Amino acid sequence: MPGNSPQPSALTFQPVLERIATEVAQTPGRGRPADYIPALAACDPRRFGMAVAELDGTVYGVGDWRQPFSTQSVTKVFTLALDLAREGDALWEHVGREPSGNPFNSLVQLEYENGIPRNPFINAGALVVTDRLQTRTGDAAGTLLEFLRAESGNAHLDFDRDIAASETANGDRNAALAHFMASYGNIDNPVPVLLDQYFLQCSIAASCADLALATGFLARHGIRADGSRLLSRSQAKQINAIMLTCGTYDAAGDFAYRVGLPGKSGVGGGIIAVVPGRCTLCVWSPGLDERGNSVAGVAALDRFTTLTGLSVF
Ligand code: GLN
């Protein structure tokens, strides 16, 4: 019912989610879980969950929507918001806002561009954001965890220290990115401190329900779950724009074409998405395509916007 049909009322989200789950279950080919972080490799690619949260915190879900998974790069949206709220536009002297067209962990552009990463959602850019949040708060990962707990209403959210340790033991590429940027003076904290914070940040386990709720401030134009303001309306728009253009790495063009929403993926298989002024979504399925985005997750969001007509376009 895309096109000129009326947008569904909230009550129609549940049947739409059920239909998507049925379709996804019948779709062969789920991709492969990330194996460069050994603790993620054991995930079953047939797992699938999806949640939609309304602006008032009402949540609808299907499948494994209450199952915690490794949030990974989905957290980059929240650290960006927390830093932007503190630092404002000065952040943009340290990280850009252009799509990279390169994989999320790529090193190649950094030397040409003098240690300034293309955007806050590739690993290099996220390291800069976490470094700046660490300088401002003294505890970037803890600040993030408290924020996610508050916005999701789930006080049990926590770090998964096995995942963090697994990444630390296999973190040469992120260490290389951080050291390289430090050589340009674009990292404040000692690199080992920054990497600990970054890997803890990525290790947070949360469910589709938790993340759909925690993303709500971006659909509410900067307003937190308790009604207080985190970001100006303009800053919320800016983050949504960067999600649309950079949130799924070198597949952002294809994601915008298929889904038509600001979104952010992680190699744990989660993707969050925002319908500004209306609702937020989170989908999880651990099988990834070669660009590191959940195969079933992108397919499910594609179906959601096609079936409901809810899109920014
Ligand atoms: N922790 C992962 C890394 O730094 C996050 C990457 C991702 O989710 N795309 O490699």
Side-chain angles (χ1 to χ4, degrees), residues 36-37 71-74 76 104-105 123 167 174 198-199 202 249 264-268 292:
Y36 77 100
I37 304 171
T71 55
Q72 296 295 324
S73 286
V74 170
K76 291 171 182 171
F104 65 84
N105 55 4
N123 283 12
E167 252 209 291
N174 283 314
Y198 174 76
F199 292 142
C202 292
Y249 318 112
K264 181 76 202 80
S265 62
V267 292

Side-chain angles (χ1 to χ4, degrees), residues 160-224:
D160 181 331
R161 293 188 186 270
D162 291 340
I163 298 268
S166 182
E167 252 209 291
T168 301
N170 296 276
D172 290 335
R173 187 172 278 261
N174 283 314
L177 290 167
H179 281 293
F180 194 66
M181 292 188 291
S183 78
Y184 283 96
N186 201 20
I187 296 292
D188 278 350
N189 293 277
V191 167
V193 171
L194 168 59
L195 291 175
D196 279 351
Q197 291 292 316
Y198 174 76
F199 292 142
L200 270 179
Q201 160 188 334
C202 292
S203 84
I204 292 174
S207 69
C208 290
D210 296 325
L211 289 175
L213 286 167
T215 307
F217 71 99
L218 288 175
R220 292 187 296 265
H221 307 295
I223 303 293
R224 296 185 58 165

